[in-house]
């Protein structure tokens, strides 16, 4: 069971909230950010399927490179100790599409089309980055309603498509709620990976169901899933007469059995839906009235007229016939035009230009004229902007029937209203890589893991370490879980084994620096005992471009003159327990941002405004020394980026090292060069760090060109000082930094010894 376990020393597993086939979903807590997370787990057989594992890893890595609120924020992934796969992500917002629509049934055609277009645009974000879903259904789509009544969609369970492929390949049953929305090609004998076209089909099927209450199977609901492979769906207007012709055509195109006939991706499907929703129905053509080809004249004979009346009637008839003949000849062309109207000829529109149209504009132009577009291929044609249409078939001005002569028609069956196009290639999206966890791995295994992830080893340094055996990784930068571009160098520190004592010291230890050239440095001894000795220190100038006048050494007092040490050869250079106030010359500060004063036996610094950095020093110069102090961060300071600790080897006000701890049981080492920070060791959790409110004793041994770091008597890290940030002489200081909230910290028992 996962309950109450901790993953990656960060995520606390609480309880299982769902089980979908072989996928388990657990609720957990991100202890760094204090937020609820979802922890997904896959056991056998998925954790043994190499194709699934590789496709799933690639998909997760791509998702981590997409910073968009419509897709899940993946926080971590990997293998558990028992071999199960896990993926940790932020839970989606709102409610599932199934529940959202159930509370609003029946939906009007505009509302349903607008809602599915919103969902399609969210899916299109993944398509834009080259990631297909493959398992869209109303349970994997989440809808959030804003205060203004507008809806927003987020898409979860992006691994569903890969799970479907693995299940069908292994002969495992796929849940019915997923099968209902799979495309025909996903239901065939072969099990292709998910594509943009399969996602478009699923979206069209969801809209069909919202508008009709039934699934788009042939004839009736009971026809089964196989009917989608063999027959076209029933037009949705037969179930819902409110569906307009343009909307119905987009839905049926999205449900096409041939993936090539569907819109190119979810974004194009969304655009087509909204265009169809605003496209008016065509006005029906009223045929002209029939042409009157002859006139009837009725003659009434009455016997009382006699022969004279008969003569007059004959003359009148002749006159009338003459008039009709003139009128007929004068109006003959117009009458012929009405009887035999010239039919309107539709021709293929110009989608190439100039000016060059991008594909979306070409799609809208074709749609308005009653044509569909199908991308036959992408091409790297010089001189064309990315995404522009560079070729079409049939050519502009041709009759729609000419599509049958297009070469693309052999591999892309299409209707007579289809125009095949080639599109200039879009820039390849940058897929970020996630830095793996190298801690404790052998150096060669770490190198192989980096190369497998399209990363590489950067600077390698060797350092003593009491926790890891020789040859294993003790530090890395960037730290694990960070998304970086492919090819990024990852700096590593490799354990040289535990520190050697004088008795077992074979001599000197070769250290490989950044240039990989051997050098000899003294072997680090055990943590020194900082017992003080009364030996006043000499004052030396601070080494800068224009050295200031040296600060005279403070005369020994009861507060800063210690007893003689028990260990021979160890000299106390500075000691202060702050019991008698400020006697050594620490820099105190009281203003609107910082209140840092020595009182009540401690040096208390309160940083009042976020984004404040504070440093106090005494302008005492030291070389090859050990510096320690007690650090207490007040309870409640939970910001993991805020910390306090020791500053040392200061050349001037903007050049120093800063070794600090925070309220998240982690430590960090940075160097500051003018206004630029250089992170030597990023925030790293360590059991030696005590929680908030407890006293942590930090200690730094500065010898030659390396620093050895101790927390509460335990060595936590050794780092060589890069030449570009090596400040040869300087003094010591106490520092604190707050990022997001006020910070209260206390310093005590400062000691510098050699």
């Amino acid at each position: 069971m996962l309950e109450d376990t901790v993953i990656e020393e960060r995520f606390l597993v609480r309880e299982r909230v769902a089980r979908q086939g072989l996928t388990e979903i657990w609720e957990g807590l991100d202890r760094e950010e204090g937020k609820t997370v979802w922890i997904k787990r896959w056991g056998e057989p998925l954790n043994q399927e190499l194709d699934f594992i590789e496709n799933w890893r690639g998909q997760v890595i791509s998702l981590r490179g997409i910073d968009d609120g419509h897709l899940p924020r993946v926080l971590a992934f990997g293998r558990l100790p028992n071999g199960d796969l896990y993926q940790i992500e932020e839970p989606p917002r709102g409610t599932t599409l199934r529940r959202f629509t159930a509370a609003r049934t029946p939906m009007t055609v505009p509302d349903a089309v607008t809602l599915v277009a919103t969902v399609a645009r969210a899916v299109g974000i993944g398509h834009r980055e080259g990631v297909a879903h493959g398992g869209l259904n109303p349970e994997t789509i989440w809808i959030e309603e804003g205060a203004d009544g507008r809806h927003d969609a987020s898409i979860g369970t992006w691994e569903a498509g890969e799970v479907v492929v693995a299940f069908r390949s292994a002969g495992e049953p796929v849940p019915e709620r997923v099968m209902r929305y799979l495309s025909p090609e996903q239901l065939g004998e072969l099990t292709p990976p998910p594509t943009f076209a399969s996602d478009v089909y699923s979206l069209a099927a969801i809209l069909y169901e919202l508008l009709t209450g039934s699934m788009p199977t042939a004839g009736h609901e009971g026809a089964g899933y196989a009917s989608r492979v063999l027959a076209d769906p029933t037009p949705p207007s037969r179930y819902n007469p409110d569906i307009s012709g343009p909307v119905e055509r987009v839905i049926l195109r999205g449900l096409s059995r041939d993936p090539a006939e569907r819109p190119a991706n979810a974004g194009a499907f969304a655009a087509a839906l909204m265009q169809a929703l605003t496209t008016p129905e065509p006005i029906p053509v009223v045929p002209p009235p029939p042409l009157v080809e002859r006139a009837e004249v009725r003659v009434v004979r009455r016997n009382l007229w006699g022969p004279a009346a008969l003569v007059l009637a004959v003359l009148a008839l002749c006159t009338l016939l003459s008039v009709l003949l003139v009128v007929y000849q004068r109006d003959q062309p117009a009458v012929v035009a009405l009887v035999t109207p010239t039919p309107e000829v539709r021709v293929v529109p110009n989608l190439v230009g100039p000016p060059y149209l991008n594909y979306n504009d070409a799609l809208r132009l074709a749609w308005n004229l009653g044509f569909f577009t199908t991308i036959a291929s992408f091409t790297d044609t010089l001189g064309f902007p990315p995404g522009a249409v560079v070729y079409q078939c049939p050519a502009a001005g041709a009759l729609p029937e000419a599509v049958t002569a297009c070469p693309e028609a052999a591999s892309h069956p299409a209707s007579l209203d289809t125009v095949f196009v080639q599109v200039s290639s879009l820039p390849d999206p940058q897929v970020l890589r996630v830095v793996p966890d190298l801690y404790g791995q052998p150096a060669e295994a770490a190198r192989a893991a980096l190369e497998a992830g399209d990363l590489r080893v950067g600077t390698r340094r060797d350092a003593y370490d009491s926790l890891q055996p020789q040859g294993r990784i003790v530090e890395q930068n960037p730290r694990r879980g960070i998304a970086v571009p492919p090819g990024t160098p990852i700096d590593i520190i490799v354990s040289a084994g535990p520190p050697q004592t004088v008795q077992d010291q074979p001599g000197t230890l070769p250290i490989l620096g950044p240039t990989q050239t051997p050098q000899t440095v003294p072997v680090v001894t055990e943590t020194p005992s900082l017992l003080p000795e009364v030996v006043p220190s000499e004052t030396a100038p601070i080494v800068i471009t224009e050295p200031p006048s040296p600060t005279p050494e403070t005369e020994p007092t009861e507060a800063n003159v210690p007893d003689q040490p028990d260990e021979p050869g160890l000299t106390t250079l500075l000691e202060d327990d702050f019991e008698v106030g400020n006697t050594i010359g620490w820099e105190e500060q009281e203003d609107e941002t910082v209140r840092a004063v020595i009182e009540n036996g401690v040096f208390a610094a309160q940083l009042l405004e976020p984004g404040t950095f504070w440093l106090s020093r005494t302008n005492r110069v030291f070389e090859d020394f050990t510096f320690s102090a007690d650090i207490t961060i007040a309870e409640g300071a939970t910001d993991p980026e805020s910390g306090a600790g020791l500053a040392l080897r200061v050349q001037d006000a903007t050049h120093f090292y800063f070794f600090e701890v925070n309220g998240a049981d982690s430590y960090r080492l940075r160097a500051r060069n003018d206004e630029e920070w250089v992170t030597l060791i990023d925030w790293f959790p360590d059991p030696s760090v005590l929680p908030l409110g407890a006293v942590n004793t930090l200690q730094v041994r500065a010898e030659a060109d390396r620093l050895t770091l101790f927390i509460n008597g335990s060595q936590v890290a050794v780092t060589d000082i890069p030449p570009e940030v090596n400040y040869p002489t300087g003094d010591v200081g106490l520092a604190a930094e707050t990022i997001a909230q006020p910070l209260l910290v206390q310093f005590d028992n400062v000691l510098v010894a050699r």
Side-chain angles (χ1 to χ4, degrees):
M1 293 291 291
L2 281 179
E3 193 170 3
D4 295 331
T5 60
V6 178
I7 300 177
E8 295 194 7
E9 301 180 356
R10 173 180 175 182
F11 304 100
L12 173 64
V13 184
R14 287 175 169 170
E15 59 179 351
R16 188 169 66 187
V17 296
R19 183 167 186 172
Q20 303 172 354
L22 298 183
T23 303
E24 291 184 353
I25 300 179
W26 295 72
E27 184 182 275
L29 174 66
D30 182 353
R31 300 194 299 182
E32 285 189 6
E33 300 186 8
K35 298 180 180 179
T36 299
V37 296
W38 273 8
I39 304 168
K40 299 178 180 178
R41 181 174 74 167
W42 297 276
E44 294 183 354
L46 291 181
N47 63 357
Q48 305 297 323
E49 291 282 348
L50 297 182
D51 289 341
F52 169 76
I53 296 172
E54 184 62 27
N55 294 336
W56 166 71
R57 284 186 70 256
Q59 185 184 68
V60 172
I61 291 173
S62 297
L63 287 176
R64 295 194 71 170
I66 304 174
D67 184 15
D68 190 278
H70 298 90
L71 276 64
R73 180 188 173 204
V74 180
L75 303 174
F77 67 99
R79 276 190 185 272
L80 296 171
N82 66 350
D84 289 352
L85 305 174
Y86 70 87
Q87 176 178 322
I88 303 176
E89 61 188 48
E90 290 184 346
R93 305 182 306 273
T95 185
T96 64
L97 179 65
R98 177 77 70 195
R99 295 180 181 178
F100 181 85
T101 55
R104 292 162 175 80
T105 301
M107 298 184 69
T108 65
V109 173
D111 287 347
V113 170
T114 302
L115 181 62
V116 173
T118 300
V119 173
R121 282 192 290 266
V123 177
I125 295 170
H127 288 184
R128 186 182 63 201
E129 302 297 333
V131 183
H133 192 287
L136 289 171
N137 62 75
E139 308 298 333
T140 61
I141 299 168
W142 295 72
I143 304 298
E144 185 178 31
E145 187 170 13
D148 57 356
R150 297 183 180 181
H151 303 139
D152 200 7
S154 58
I155 313 300
T157 320
W158 281 82
E159 69 281 352
E162 301 299 341
V163 173
V164 168
V165 172
F167 272 33
R168 289 181 58 80
S169 299
E172 298 284 343
V174 178
E176 189 270 346
R177 64 179 177 276
V178 178
M179 290 281 290
R180 289 164 61 92
Y181 304 93
L182 295 181
S183 62
E185 62 270 17
Q186 292 175 287
L187 296 172
E189 296 182 0
L190 301 177
T191 54
T195 63
F196 302 162
S198 59
D199 286 346
V200 169
Y201 182 95
S202 300
L203 291 168
I206 291 171
L207 179 55
Y208 190 104
E209 184 183 29
L210 288 178
L211 293 175
T212 67
S214 61
M215 295 302 298
T217 52
H220 57 87
E221 178 70 18
Y225 305 120
S227 65
R228 279 184 262 157
V229 183
L230 303 175
D232 293 326
T234 302
S237 59
R238 291 186 57 183
Y239 302 108
N240 186 346
D242 292 337
I243 301 174
S244 66
V247 170
E248 182 174 74
R249 285 192 290 272
V250 175
I251 296 174
L252 293 178
R253 187 183 176 199
L255 295 174
S256 174
R257 287 172 293 159
D258 185 356
E261 294 185 3
R262 302 172 199 156
N265 52 53
F269 182 63
L273 281 177
M274 297 308 296
Q275 178 69 33
L277 191 62
T278 58
T279 299
E281 290 280 13
I283 300 175
V285 178
V286 180
L291 177 67
V292 178
E293 297 183 354
R294 63 187 179 89
E296 294 185 7
V297 179
R298 177 173 297 183
V299 180
V300 180
R301 296 183 177 88
R302 296 186 180 181
N303 294 332
L304 59 89
W305 283 93
L310 177 61
V311 172
L312 292 174
V314 171
L315 292 175
L317 177 61
C318 293
T319 303
L320 179 61
L321 291 176
S322 301
V323 172
L324 290 176
L325 179 61
V326 172
V327 171
Y328 178 81
Q329 291 176 345
R330 183 188 64 189
D331 297 337
Q332 184 66 17
V335 172
V336 173
L338 291 175
V339 173
T340 57
T342 303
E344 180 184 356
V345 179
R346 286 196 322 124
V347 296
V348 176
N350 180 13
L351 304 182
V352 176
Y356 302 118
L357 299 178
N358 64 54
Y359 177 70
N360 289 335
D361 291 338
L363 182 147
R364 284 191 289 269
L365 173 62
W367 173 262
N368 290 334
L369 297 176
F371 289 86
F372 298 108
T373 58
T374 295
I375 299 179
S377 63
F378 289 89
T379 179
D380 294 324
T381 304
L382 296 178
F384 288 91
V389 177
V390 300
Y391 159 85
Q392 72 175 75
C393 187
L399 296 177
E401 294 80 0
V403 69
T404 57
C406 292
E408 295 81 5
S411 56
H412 299 80
S415 66
L416 298 183
D417 294 330
T418 299
V419 180
F420 295 105
V421 298
Q422 287 184 357
V423 179
S424 179
S425 297
L426 296 172
D428 293 333
Q430 184 181 46
V431 179
L432 300 180
R433 307 301 184 190
V434 178
V435 179
D437 185 2
L438 306 180
Y439 181 76
Q441 295 189 29
E444 290 306 315
R447 181 184 299 275
L450 292 175
E451 292 176 353
D454 202 9
L455 302 172
R456 61 186 177 88
V457 175
T459 300
R460 167 180 168 156
R461 299 187 181 94
D462 289 30
Y464 294 117
D465 190 88
S466 301
L467 301 178
Q468 289 295 336
Q470 184 174 357
R472 294 184 178 269
I473 306 298
V474 296
E475 297 288 350
Q476 68 180 87
N477 188 36
R479 59 187 173 91
R480 66 180 185 273
I482 299 296
V484 297
T488 298
I490 309 301
D491 298 335
I492 59 174
I493 298 178
V494 182
S495 173
Q500 296 175 326
T501 62
V502 177
Q503 287 78 10
D504 59 8
Q505 176 181 349
T508 57
L509 179 69
I511 303 296
L512 296 180
T515 59
Q516 300 296 304
T517 57
Q519 56 179 323
T520 303
V521 300
V523 176
V524 180
T525 61
E526 296 179 346
T527 306
S529 173
L530 297 181
L531 297 178
E533 173 179 283
V534 182
V535 180
S537 60
E538 298 280 337
T539 301
I542 299 176
V543 180
I544 56 176
T545 305
E546 296 180 5
S549 302
T551 303
E553 191 72 46
T554 303
E555 292 296 326
T557 66
E558 292 183 0
N560 59 21
V561 179
D563 298 330
Q564 294 291 331
D566 295 333
E567 183 177 344
L570 190 63
T571 303
T572 296
L573 306 178
L574 180 147
E575 182 184 24
D576 199 345
D577 59 8
F578 304 114
E579 291 294 334
V580 293
N582 192 354
T583 60
I584 297 182
W586 295 100
E587 299 174 6
E588 298 180 282
Q589 180 179 349
E590 287 193 74
D591 55 34
E592 66 277 2
T593 61
V594 177
R595 182 180 186 273
V597 296
I598 299 175
E599 58 184 7
N600 300 324
V602 295
F603 196 171
Q606 186 175 15
L607 280 61
L608 303 175
E609 291 188 2
T612 302
F613 183 87
W614 167 82
L615 171 65
S616 176
R617 53 186 182 146
T618 62
N619 289 323
R620 309 284 181 112
V621 179
F622 306 102
E623 290 184 274
D624 290 340
F625 61 95
T626 300
F627 174 33
S628 71
D630 292 341
I631 312 294
T632 305
I633 300 178
E635 296 183 6
T638 57
D639 180 17
E641 294 297 324
S642 300
L646 312 179
L648 66 157
R649 299 178 75 85
V650 178
Q651 178 180 341
D652 54 41
T654 59
H655 292 76
F656 54 89
Y657 298 98
F658 185 24
F659 174 44
E660 57 185 321
V661 293
N662 63 9
D665 303 336
S666 302
Y667 68 89
R668 176 170 67 174
L669 176 65
R670 292 184 294 168
R672 187 165 181 175
N673 188 355
D674 290 325
E675 298 301 322
E676 180 181 359
W677 282 102
V678 179
T679 300
L680 303 179
I681 301 174
D682 206 350
W683 285 119
F684 193 85
D686 193 277
S688 302
V689 184
L690 300 179
L692 290 172
V695 178
N696 283 287
T697 300
L698 273 61
Q699 187 179 103
V700 180
R701 177 185 295 150
E703 293 180 315
D705 58 353
R706 68 168 26 190
L707 302 178
T708 307
L709 312 179
F710 302 86
I711 299 178
N712 297 321
S714 298
Q715 177 181 314
V716 295
V718 179
T719 181
D720 292 332
I721 302 172
E724 63 270 17
V725 292
N726 183 17
Y727 320 129
T729 62
D731 67 357
V732 297
L734 305 172
E737 181 179 23
T738 180
I739 300 299
Q741 61 185 13
L743 179 70
L744 176 61
V745 60
Q746 293 182 353
F747 303 90
D748 203 357
N749 299 323
V750 176
L751 188 60
V752 181
R754 178 185 299 124

